Amino acid sequence: MDDGRVWSFEESLWTGDAEHYRELVDEECLMVLPQPPFVLSGEQAVAAVSDTPRWTKVAISERQVSRPQEGLIVVAYKVNAEREGTTPYEAHCTSTYRRLEHEVWRVVQHQQTPPLTVTP
C-alpha cells in the first residue's frame, strides 16, 4: 500500500460508518483510547463506533509511515478532528496494519494519546 492510500485508509477510519469500520478493523485488533474502558478488542471498538457519531472534519499532520517487514505497516501522526455539537479533538495516534492478501489490509492495533493537561 503506497503512502497516499495509507493516509486515505487511516482518515476513513475516523469518518466512515460502523460497517466500514467493521470491514477494516481486525477481530484480533487491540486499541487504547483515552476514555473508559481504555483498552478495547476489535469487536468492542466496532461496537463503540456504532454508538458514536463519526467525525466530519479530520486533519492528519506529523505523518510517519514505517514498513518494518513485508505485510506490516505502522503509522504515527497527529489528528485534529471535529464533529457538530462537540469540542474539537486532538491526539497523537499510532495504527498498525497487516496485509491479509493482495491489497487487503486490516488494522491490528490503534492507540490515541490526547495532549496532557497541565494544572498549576
Side-chain angles (χ1 to χ4, degrees):
M1 181 169 16
D2 67 30
D3 285 4
R5 185 164 170 231
V6 165
W7 296 114
S8 292
F9 185 102
E10 190 68 24
E11 186 173 326
S12 78
L13 292 165
W14 289 87
T15 60
D17 63 16
E19 187 57 38
H20 178 74
Y21 207 74
R22 184 174 282 106
E23 291 172 12
L24 299 183
V25 174
D26 196 273
E27 292 176 3
E28 296 298 317
C29 182
L30 293 176
M31 292 194 180
V32 176
L33 302 176
Q35 61 229 12
F38 301 108
V39 178
L40 301 130
S41 69
E43 283 302 313
Q44 290 169 322
V46 170
V49 166
S50 297
D51 297 332
T52 304
R54 304 310 297 144
W55 299 101
T56 54
K57 184 177 178 185
V58 175
I60 295 175
S61 60
E62 300 180 27
R63 301 172 180 210
Q64 294 189 38
V65 178
S66 174
R67 292 173 174 83
Q69 70 181 48
E70 181 69 27
L72 197 62
I73 297 174
V74 181
V75 298
Y77 60 93
K78 179 181 177 184
V79 69
N80 291 89
E82 297 178 20
R83 65 178 159 228
E84 198 169 320
T86 65
T87 303
Y89 178 71
E90 177 183 320
H92 284 87
C93 305
T94 62
S95 293
T96 304
Y97 314 143
R98 111 182 128 110
R99 186 176 60 212
L100 300 180
E101 57 187 71
H102 183 68
E103 298 301 320
V104 178
W105 295 83
R106 295 291 180 273
V107 177
V108 294
Q109 176 276 329
H110 179 74
Q111 161 282 321
Q112 298 176 16
T113 304
L116 294 176
T117 304
V118 179
T119 54

